[in-house]
Amino acid sequence: QVQLVESGGGLVQAGGSLRLSCVASGLTFSNYAMGWFRQAPGKEREFVGAISRSGGHTTYADSVKGRFTISRDNAKNTVYLQMNSLKPEDTAVYYCAARATAGWGTFANTYDYHYWGQGTQVTVSS
């Protein structure tokens, strides 16, 4: 079965950095666009960014643009989220998600994705 497993979350001070990883199994990774979402307590799950099948296209939410970078290694079935200049408002559970797709689009909605990981907690202290 398909599994997405996130790791790399933790507690960091404001201004610091973290790199999240998401390892996929049970699917042909290069056939999937990958997305990152986050959900803070009491809030809806929100789009962070996404990357195309080859890694040649990325898109980001305005709130993280310039601070976060998504990359992928198809040989390792892994997508990454590099988070720099972290702010307390970045505190959330971060989820990776996979969408089977033949092309690229701005896949910014939760319903765009077929598979989800269990999430990893990121806490940014002020």
Side-chain angles (χ1 to χ4, degrees):
Q1 73 278 21
V2 175
Q3 280 193 311
L4 303 177
V5 180
E6 302 97 336
S7 63
L11 174 64
V12 63
Q13 288 188 330
S17 299
L18 280 175
R19 188 175 82 153
L20 306 184
S21 300
C22 170
V23 179
S25 60
L27 51 73
T28 303
F29 188 66
S30 58
N31 287 347
Y32 287 76
M34 299 298 294
W36 284 96
F37 289 74
R38 65 187 183 186
Q39 188 166 19
K43 295 188 176 181
E44 292 188 352
R45 193 168 297 188
E46 67 172 1
F47 175 73
V48 173
I51 188 166
S52 62
R53 291 169 26 168
S54 67
H57 299 279
T58 54
T59 185
Y60 299 93
D62 287 343
S63 58
V64 306
K65 204 171 292 184
R67 300 188 297 123
F68 290 11
T69 303
I70 298 174
S71 61
R72 67 189 292 162
D73 185 339
N74 285 350
K76 295 182 178 179
N77 283 11
T78 303
V79 61
Y80 304 97
L81 179 65
Q82 177 67 45
M83 305 185 293
N84 298 328
S85 302
L86 282 161
K87 305 175 182 180
E89 51 264 43
D90 295 319
T91 295
V93 177
Y94 282 72
Y95 299 89
C96 69
R99 173 191 168 92
T101 179
W104 173 242
T106 305
F107 305 128
N109 297 294
T110 56
Y111 56 74
D112 288 325
Y113 293 84
H114 302 103
Y115 302 107
W116 291 84
Q118 82 291 346
T120 185
Q121 176 70 46
V122 172
T123 303
V124 184
S125 63
S126 56

